[in-house]
Amino acid sequence: MNELVCTPIGYPTPQNYERLWELAQQQSVICLVESEDDGIKTNVAQTLSYEGTVNVATPGICYVTGYDKARFIESCKKCKLQWLVPS
């Protein structure tokens, strides 16, 4: 097998960005972001919330910046963001 396997299987990964916005106000949430950087199609990131702004980022890369819920949702849709449901 010479294929890169990078799609998580068996995890609930919703695209309910309103719920993610709400959760991100309370805790950091692990996210999966589609990206074409360096040939990698899926990157792992996390939500970071500060003073009403919610970002989805990894060290050095910010995929989503949401100064309000509407912008956050729009940015999540653009990068086809998915997130892992916290237990």
Side-chain angles (χ1 to χ4, degrees):
M1 176 193 301
N2 292 330
E3 290 182 39
L4 174 64
V5 178
C6 61
T7 303
I9 297 173
Y11 298 93
T13 54
Q15 292 181 315
N16 180 342
Y17 304 129
E18 287 188 29
R19 179 69 180 130
L20 178 58
W21 171 266
E22 293 167 7
L23 282 172
Q25 307 296 318
Q26 302 165 13
Q27 67 186 59
S28 185
V29 179
I30 297 170
C31 300
L32 305 171
V33 183
E34 284 194 18
S35 173
E36 293 297 328
D37 297 338
D38 298 325
I40 298 171
K41 295 189 185 229
T42 304
N43 289 316
V44 178
Q46 73 182 76
T47 61
L48 305 165
S49 178
Y50 182 72
E51 294 184 354
T53 298
V54 176
N55 296 325
V56 177
T58 61
I61 301 173
C62 185
Y63 295 102
V64 172
T65 299
Y67 297 108
D68 57 44
K69 188 191 311 188
R71 289 183 196 172
F72 176 79
I73 291 170
E74 182 180 327
S75 294
C76 288
K77 287 178 181 177
K78 284 182 182 177
C79 63
K80 300 177 184 172
L81 185 139
Q82 299 176 58
W83 51 281
L84 300 179
V85 178
S87 57

